[in-house]
Amino acid sequence: MIKIAPSILSADFAYLRRDVVMVEEAGADYLHIDVMDGHFVPNITIGPPVVAALRPHSKMVFDVHLMINNPDRYLTSFIEAGADILTVHAEATLHLDRTLRFIKERGVKPGVALNPATPLSVIEYVLPLVDQVLIMTVNPGFGGQRFIKEIVPKIKALRSLLIQEELEVDIEVDGGINPETVSEVVRAGANVVVAGSAIYRSENPKEALATLKRAAYIINNSLSHKER
Ligand code: DX5
Ligand code: ZN
């Protein structure tokens, strides 16, 4: 089952609640929340108080993407704020195994993210611990960037590895996803699709979400008949 995760990075921050409710009504599965610290990435966004403020207004899965150095310092705050999935970057923490276990032990789903240049091998030994691997298809920091097509083989390789190891882990893709690129990533094996500008910067966000979902489902249905 494919899941669509609109990224609020491209929402109107002055009308955040309205923009969150809008995508929920349009059938979004996850709400993708991009947290940036101005160190790990060259941009600053939002923190736990904003997540906590949105929590009572939505039943969506809160998919929190931490683009921050030393995420350990803030895990408890994001868990208390209402994160359902908490994703840390493999590049941002020295003791990835410890970080992921900390999240898991607190009843939240741990995710691990990889920048475009980071190989899959760095997560090989923590794969059994995670619920989700986030493959970045842009260099993190900003919405509206161009999809890096060279990353498609990484998605394929991860899907093969998960099948081989018989692990039930979601593959989320993030960056430059639109109705064209979504087909490529779903064909490669992704099953959670983040989209910021393709939804929020379109003239009709609800329709844009539906279009994206349709494109993803068509490819996925055609795949489910075959061996990946
Ligand atoms: C980028 C963020 C993304 C961003 C995607 O660093 O992690 O989630 O919002 O935006 P689009 O879909 O516009 O590339
Ligand atoms: Zn993100």
Side-chain angles (χ1 to χ4, degrees):
M1 190 66 159
I2 301 286
K3 296 185 179 83
I4 305 290
S7 162
I8 54 166
L9 184 63
S10 292
D12 184 340
F13 280 2
Y15 294 93
L16 204 44
R17 176 178 167 184
R18 179 199 69 185
D19 282 4
V20 167
V21 170
M22 175 174 71
V23 293
E24 186 160 17
E25 284 174 359
D29 304 281
Y30 291 178
L31 187 70
H32 186 80
I33 302 173
D34 287 307
V35 177
M36 306 186 184
D37 66 352
H39 295 279
F40 182 70
V41 288
N43 196 2
I44 300 177
T45 55
I46 56 174
V50 177
V51 178
L54 289 173
R55 188 66 280 187
H57 303 292
S58 173
K59 290 192 168 59
M60 279 184 288
V61 168
F62 276 14
D63 173 34
V64 177
H65 178 193
L66 297 182
M67 285 161 277
I68 63 177
N69 279 335
N70 304 321
D72 297 14
R73 291 176 297 168
Y74 295 101
L75 298 175
T76 303
S77 306
F78 281 103
I79 291 168
E80 286 172 356
D84 296 299
I85 304 171
L86 204 43
T87 297
V88 298
H89 268 264
E91 306 86 357
T93 176
L94 209 46
H95 301 286
L96 182 59
D97 180 278
R98 177 186 286 148
T99 305
L100 295 170
R101 284 181 198 276
F102 183 93
I103 298 169
K104 200 178 169 77
E105 280 161 10
R106 277 145 193 89
V108 169
K109 292 183 171 172
V112 62
L114 298 178
N115 281 338
T118 307
L120 281 181
S121 55
V122 302
I123 57 167
E124 191 181 339
Y125 298 105
V126 294
L127 271 184
L129 276 179
V130 299
D131 286 274
Q132 175 168 288
V133 176
L134 197 176
I135 302 288
M136 290 303 304
T137 41
V138 298
N139 288 292
F142 305 95
Q145 301 183 83
R146 193 195 294 258
F147 179 77
I148 303 174
K149 64 178 188 330
E150 286 78 8
I151 306 305
V152 173
K154 181 150 74 166
I155 303 167
K156 283 188 190 156
L158 176 58
R159 182 51 73 194
S160 306
L161 183 62
L162 293 172
I163 292 171
Q164 185 193 314
E165 302 289 321
E166 296 181 5
L167 290 169
E168 286 258 337
V169 176
D170 288 326
I171 302 181
E172 181 175 52
V173 284
D174 187 5
I177 302 298
N178 57 42
E180 286 82 55
T181 56
V182 77
S183 309
E184 264 187 85
V185 296
V186 171
R187 194 173 292 122
N191 67 310
V192 183
V193 175
V194 177
S197 52
I199 293 173
Y200 281 114
R201 298 284 167 207
S202 91
E203 268 180 29
N204 186 337
K206 286 191 173 185
E207 215 173 272
L209 198 154
T211 305
L212 206 60
K213 206 165 183 164
R214 219 176 302 121
Y217 273 61
I218 289 171
I219 300 294
N220 193 52
N221 288 343
S222 73
L223 286 178
S224 48
H225 300 295
K226 305 180 214 148
E227 189 71 13
R228 271 196 167 113

